[in-house]
Amino acid sequence: MNPSTVPAAELEQLVKEADFGGREPLGRVAIFLALVAALWSLFQLWYASPLPFLIGTGIFNDTEARAIHLAFSVFLAFAAFPAFKRSSRTVVPFADWILAVVGAFCAAYLFVFYQQLSTRPGQLTPIDFWVGLIGVAVMLEATRRAMGLGMLITTAIFLVYIFAGPWMPEVIQHKGATLQRFISHMWLTTEGVYGVALGVSVQFIFLFVLFGTLLDIAGAGNYMMQVSIALLGHLRGGPAKVAVVSSALNGVVSGSSVSNVVSGGIFTIPLMKRTGYSGVKAGAIEAASSINGQLMPPVMGAAAFLMVEYVGIPYAEICKHAALPAIISYIALFYIVHLEAAKYDLQVIPRSTQRTAIQRTLGWALGLSGTLAACALIYYAITCVRWVFGDAAAWPLAALTLTTYLVLLAYSARYPDIPQDDPLAPVVHLPEPWPTVRAGMHFLLPIIVLLWCLMVEELSPGTSAFWATATAMVMVVVQPALLAMFRRTGQTQQAIARGVRDLGRGLVIAARSMVGIGVACASAGLIVGVITLTGMGLMMTDFVEQISAGNVLIMLVLTAVICLLIGAGVPTTANYILVATLMAPVIVELGARSDLVIPLIGVHLFVFYFGIMADVTPPVGLASYAAAAISNDDPNATGLQATWYSLRTAVLPFVFIFNPQMLLIGVGSWTQIVVVCLSATVASLLFAAATMGWFRTRCRWWEMGVLLLSTFLFFRPDWVINQFYPTYTVAPASELFLLADRLEKDDWLIVSIAGETIEGRSINKTVALPLGEGVDGRARLRSGGVTFAQLGETLEISNVKFGSRAKKLGVEQGYQIVEVKQPNPQRPSPYWVFIPAALLTLLVWVQQGRRLGRPQEA
């Protein structure tokens, strides 16, 4: 047997075990499970569509939909995931059928008896109690099967904490809870299993998984990979750069870093090995690229939609704040693989046809200008149709989309399909750029529909995903028949049948892929339920404060480590839910007590980044394990190398906590935006060069130190200015409304507040009060969620709106305003610091330039 074929077999088994459970029954059982999976997908499409409201039937409220969703997930978890590694992969044992039916009934209990339960909240009958108790037990077993021991142990520790509270150390001690209260809280309310996590799985995640699955079946995944190879494969270290770019593209629709590794790595990792990268480095580059796909808007592994709930700002704002760090991280990784190629003198892969520099420049210019022209044409065409038809524009827009699809597909059909490169072949053949691009431009239409609905129409993520998925469904069904017709192959009927089969296969695959995610979200709900039932969030704040001794940097490092531990082996969405619920409030509270004004979105991105980093860090880096299976190399070595590559990602959250301008917060003009983007990008590249020990050539120790100093100055120019000029000047509390009058909507008003906690402890902290719409400062503050009572010179918070940003920032009723802070008008621009930073960088550049061409030091 050829050794190179072993990783492919291991990979195929890894995908089956991780994504689909590994069990593939035969005969009628296989048909039955496929029908159940397809029915789940159809239910999700029905729930997300406007059709139930148009015909007035089949309308489910949010809680009912969550119960049905969980019932499907639990049933398929026991049917598709074997109990043990040695269990049969083709036969579903009788015990698993029993567990599947019992688990589905317990999960659907809230839907079946919804009316009766709503009339007696908190009053458990014996049946309620036993259904809830069995449901929790079955849920834990489903978690073990679908997510492994890591998630089970984490969940079990939290559940034990509920009942062991009175015997815990004082810092995390609580009075405990009865079994009846535990069951009621976890299984019969939306505080536990049926909480926010499962709600997001119902509303958003399933449709995005289905959307990505259908695009992949239609051929969009291979198209994006081939385009990346065609555009970048000829560069030095080209296959590694292809891995970076294709992971960024795949991250737009992918909900899993492991899925990202598998879908792209099967091509890019062998390509990297064939051009000189070691197996460890090839796997590490793919793993590091893939976790970054989860940080890339607009989807962010579906965490972007959860952030809307947790942070309380619109979805478009989430994408705006998250975009720059994600893009910078990818640019830095692109630079890292370039440095690796330079360090090991890897040669470029020549194209079959060589072009002059002028031809290459002209090609890129035409490509970029054509892309911009196409974007402008799309925007103005849709805008024109909406202007002409007004509220009745839906059908004309659908007709325009269909016409565009037919034109693009007819154009692509004139040329042969681009064949996939054989990753095991000894020679790499690079496809030509333009023939590759033109072969699949129609694949971009569903993505355009998604982005238009999300960013321009500002529809809900669920509705946007529905219309994008509906577009992808039409594409999957009609594309084979249309290609047969345009190419006149005479196989139209067979092509129609194939399209229908592909759609059915997509419905089944998406549902099977969602089993683990649904179970993970339900398990995350159990953990969130523990936190809300015991008040563990407040205890974690005190715990971290004691260990960090009030030092903000130590607090952030400790929080990052805890997020890495919590995120180990947990899927993206459940991962974010856990760290956002448990650790985000810790940073908010302790940062405020240290007079550090941290935007709430910055806090949530911080914990999200480090939760995702757990996918590459040993010993439970799932993305690294998947990459190692493809490269046929050591998973721990791959994980360590991927962690080293990911340092440039790990440093970004610390930067935007202290410098929120990286999140495009507090930048008022386009000039500022350009300066912030360029300086942050340069800083990240310099950090990558320092950690890789290579700039123009191998770095000496002092050069690495200078590059790290330049990195700090580019990232934190404000720190230098802070040593000479304070950031804020202080005004008395009585000027609060006057200062609020001068600010714009959505600006922040920074104040120092004082009060007492529930335990009676005095507290002082600095927060940024959000402003809304209003005719004056008082109205703007009220619109932002805070109402004040004024007694002479004293201002006291009389009310904080539930769910407002102010409430999420820890502002409480009864706190007094101590002072108001406003930007220091005497403070010079921090951008002056970029001059010495640039000079230090230039010093290293010149020094290394003198050594070019000499023999390299060992």
Side-chain angles (χ1 to χ4, degrees):
M1 178 183 293
N2 183 351
S4 62
T5 63
V6 175
E10 292 179 2
L11 175 64
E12 183 180 357
Q13 187 60 32
L14 175 67
V15 173
K16 289 179 180 178
E17 295 287 343
D19 289 349
F20 308 121
R23 183 177 279 160
E24 297 182 66
L26 305 174
R28 295 180 180 178
V29 175
I31 295 173
F32 173 71
L33 292 182
L35 288 174
V36 172
L39 185 61
W40 188 12
S41 293
L42 292 173
F43 164 75
Q44 294 292 156
L45 286 167
W46 174 266
Y47 177 69
S49 76
L51 194 59
F53 300 95
L54 293 176
I55 65 176
T57 187
I59 300 174
F60 301 96
N61 65 34
D62 194 29
T63 304
E64 292 172 326
R66 294 179 191 184
I68 297 172
H69 180 88
L70 183 60
F72 275 113
S73 182
V74 171
F75 182 88
L76 289 174
F78 287 105
F81 287 81
F84 306 102
K85 289 185 177 180
R86 63 179 182 273
S87 301
S88 172
R89 264 50 180 175
T90 57
V91 176
V92 182
F94 181 73
D96 283 3
W97 286 119
I98 296 296
L99 287 171
V101 173
V102 171
F105 172 76
C106 292
Y109 187 77
L110 202 59
F111 164 68
V112 176
F113 299 100
Y114 183 79
Q115 295 297 330
Q116 295 92 317
L117 291 169
S118 63
T119 61
R120 46 182 173 81
Q123 301 175 8
L124 272 67
T125 65
I127 295 178
D128 296 340
F129 175 82
W130 284 109
V131 166
L133 186 62
I134 294 171
V136 171
V138 170
M139 191 72 250
L140 292 175
E141 170 60 11
T143 300
R144 183 190 70 82
R145 294 192 184 200
M147 302 309 304
L149 284 175
M151 187 72 177
L152 173 66
I153 291 171
T154 302
T155 307
I157 290 174
F158 275 86
L159 295 182
V160 169
Y161 175 71
I162 290 180
F163 304 104
W167 298 278
M168 287 288 173
E170 184 177 353
V171 70
I172 57 172
Q173 193 176 82
H174 67 96
K175 64 180 181 180
T178 64
L179 190 57
Q180 285 79 7
R181 188 184 177 200
F182 165 77
I183 295 300
S184 175
H185 189 82
M186 293 296 183
W187 206 260
L188 300 176
T189 71
T190 55
E191 295 293 327
V193 169
Y194 301 97
V196 172
L198 197 63
V200 172
S201 182
V202 174
Q203 294 175 344
F204 312 134
I205 302 176
F206 194 107
L207 287 177
F208 277 97
V209 169
L210 179 58
F211 175 64
T213 301
L214 293 173
L215 279 183
D216 193 52
I217 287 175
N222 177 57
Y223 171 69
M224 291 181 180
M225 176 63 67
Q226 296 300 319
V227 168
S228 300
I229 294 173
L231 295 178
L232 302 170
H234 66 289
L235 302 175
R236 174 179 273 190
K241 293 171 180 175
V242 168
V244 174
V245 174
S246 62
S247 292
L249 295 174
N250 196 28
V252 171
V253 295
S254 172
S256 163
S257 54
V258 177
S259 173
N260 205 334
V261 167
V262 171
S263 60
I266 192 173
F267 299 104
T268 59
I269 291 175
L271 275 174
M272 284 186 267
K273 292 179 69 175
R274 287 154 64 193
T275 53
Y277 287 94
S278 67
V280 167
K281 290 186 182 296
I285 289 169
E286 180 59 47
S289 302
S290 295
I291 65 162
N292 269 75
Q294 306 306 290
L295 309 177
M296 179 64 70
V299 176
M300 298 166 63
F305 313 119
L306 280 163
M307 287 184 188
V308 173
E309 303 290 333
Y310 280 105
V311 181
I313 61 178
Y315 170 80
E317 291 289 305
I318 298 286
C319 291
K320 182 186 81 172
H321 297 316
L324 182 58
I327 294 171
I328 287 175
S329 187
Y330 263 117
I331 292 173
L333 184 57
F334 194 91
Y335 183 54
I336 283 174
V337 301
H338 175 77
L339 293 177
E340 287 281 34
K343 187 186 298 186
Y344 296 102
D345 195 25
L346 302 183
Q347 299 304 307
V348 300
I349 305 171
R351 292 193 183 277
S352 55
T353 57
Q354 297 299 318
R355 295 184 298 169
T356 65
I358 295 177
Q359 289 174 325
R360 290 196 298 271
T361 303
L362 183 61
W364 276 102
L366 289 174
L368 291 174
S369 60
T371 301
L372 293 174
C375 292
L377 179 63
I378 291 168
Y379 178 83
Y380 288 111
I382 296 175
T383 303
C384 181
V385 170
R386 293 179 63 210
W387 178 74
V388 172
F389 293 95
D391 293 337
W395 287 109
L397 283 175
L400 177 62
T401 303
L402 180 59
T403 303
T404 305
Y405 175 71
L406 291 174
V407 170
L408 291 176
L409 189 61
Y411 178 72
S412 299
R414 295 165 52 191
Y415 305 96
D417 294 332
I418 301 298
Q420 291 188 4
D421 178 63
D422 181 3
L424 301 178
V427 180
V428 180
H429 296 284
L430 296 180
E432 290 297 320
W434 172 238
T436 306
V437 171
R438 74 187 177 199
M441 290 188 291
H442 53 282
F443 290 128
L444 301 178
L445 280 177
I447 298 175
I448 291 171
V449 170
L450 173 65
L451 296 178
W452 181 272
C453 291
L454 283 171
M455 309 300 291
V456 180
E457 299 288 347
E458 295 187 352
L459 300 178
S460 71
T463 304
S464 302
F466 168 77
W467 289 116
T469 303
T471 307
M473 290 172 69
V474 173
M475 176 188 292
V476 168
V477 173
V478 305
Q479 181 170 291
L482 289 174
L483 283 174
M485 183 178 67
F486 290 141
R487 291 174 176 170
R488 300 178 181 177
T489 61
Q491 298 177 341
T492 306
Q493 290 185 345
Q494 296 92 321
I496 293 174
R498 178 185 151 200
V500 174
R501 285 196 305 271
D502 284 347
L503 176 60
R505 187 160 59 93
L507 295 176
V508 173
I509 291 175
R512 290 286 295 263
S513 301
M514 272 300 301
V515 173
I517 297 175
V519 169
C521 287
S523 296
L526 285 173
I527 297 174
V528 172
V530 172
I531 296 170
T532 57
L533 186 60
T534 62
M536 189 180 184
L538 295 174
M539 300 174 201
M540 282 301 298
T541 301
D542 293 336
F543 175 71
V544 173
E545 184 179 31
Q546 284 188 15
I547 294 180
S548 64
N551 185 288
V552 175
L553 188 58
I554 295 176
M555 178 268 291
L556 290 174
V557 171
L558 182 61
T559 304
V561 172
I562 294 173
C563 289
L564 282 171
L565 295 175
I566 292 174
V570 181
T572 301
T573 311
N575 188 328
Y576 170 65
I577 293 164
L578 298 184
V579 296
T581 306
L582 192 59
M583 299 312 301
V586 174
I587 300 178
V588 170
E589 184 63 26
L590 296 185
R593 293 181 191 177
S594 303
D595 290 335
L596 180 63
V597 180
I598 309 175
L600 193 57
I601 181 63
V603 172
H604 281 261
L605 286 174
F606 182 95
V607 297
F608 179 55
Y609 268 54
F610 283 103
I612 293 301
M613 285 278 290
D615 273 353
V616 296
T617 52
V620 198
L622 297 182
S624 298
Y625 272 77
I630 303 172
S631 65
N632 198 24
D633 222 308
D634 180 32
N636 286 322
T638 302
L640 288 172
Q641 186 66 55
T643 302
W644 186 255
Y645 288 152
S646 298
L647 285 178
R648 95 276 170 216
T649 301
V651 75
L652 292 176
F654 288 95
V655 175
F656 59 62
I657 284 289
F658 292 101
N659 182 13
Q661 285 194 339
M662 264 197 70
L663 303 177
L664 301 183
I665 295 174
V667 288
S669 66
W670 278 104
T671 303
Q672 278 187 301
I673 292 174
V674 170
V675 170
V676 168
C677 292
L678 287 177
S679 61
T681 302
V682 169
S684 193
L685 296 181
L686 294 176
F687 182 78
T691 55
M692 295 301 295
W694 193 281
F695 194 30
R696 297 182 73 185
T697 184
R698 190 179 303 278
C699 293
R700 293 169 176 165
W701 66 267
W702 68 267
E703 291 173 336
M704 288 189 282
V706 171
L707 289 177
L708 288 175
L709 177 59
S710 298
T711 299
F712 180 78
L713 295 177
F714 275 117
F715 269 143
R716 288 292 317 278
D718 57 307
W719 183 87
V720 177
I721 303 300
N722 290 346
Q723 309 311 305
F724 305 98
Y725 297 89
T727 307
Y728 303 106
T729 59
V730 176
S734 57
E735 296 186 16
L736 177 73
F737 301 128
L738 180 64
L739 293 174
D741 255 342
R742 301 174 187 167
L743 299 175
E744 301 294 329
K745 177 197 169 187
D746 293 329
D747 280 345
W748 296 78
L749 182 61
I750 300 172
V751 298
S752 292
I753 58 177
E756 287 189 354
T757 64
I758 298 176
E759 298 83 7
R761 184 173 60 181
S762 296
I763 194 168
N764 288 275
K765 55 186 180 180
T766 301
V767 297
L769 298 178
L771 301 176
E773 296 180 346
V775 295
D776 55 21
R778 186 185 293 269
R780 288 179 179 177
L781 287 163
R782 188 184 305 114
S783 178
V786 187
T787 307
F788 295 89
Q790 185 166 4
L791 302 172
E793 296 294 315
T794 303
L795 270 179
E796 184 175 290
I797 299 171
S798 59
N799 186 51
V800 182
K801 185 178 179 181
F802 180 77
S804 65
R805 279 184 284 173
K807 188 71 174 179
K808 297 174 189 294
L809 286 167
V811 180
E812 298 290 346
Q813 180 179 349
Y815 282 12
Q816 288 187 355
I817 304 298
V818 177
E819 59 188 18
V820 183
K821 298 183 178 182
Q822 53 187 330
N824 183 0
Q826 305 300 320
R827 180 181 168 90
S829 171
Y831 300 150
W832 289 108
V833 178
F834 293 156
I835 295 177
L839 291 175
L840 289 172
T841 305
L842 182 62
L843 171 66
V844 177
W845 179 272
V846 172
Q847 280 293 114
Q848 293 201 353
R850 294 173 179 172
R851 299 203 305 270
L852 286 177
R854 300 178 190 174
Q856 294 300 311
E857 301 170 1

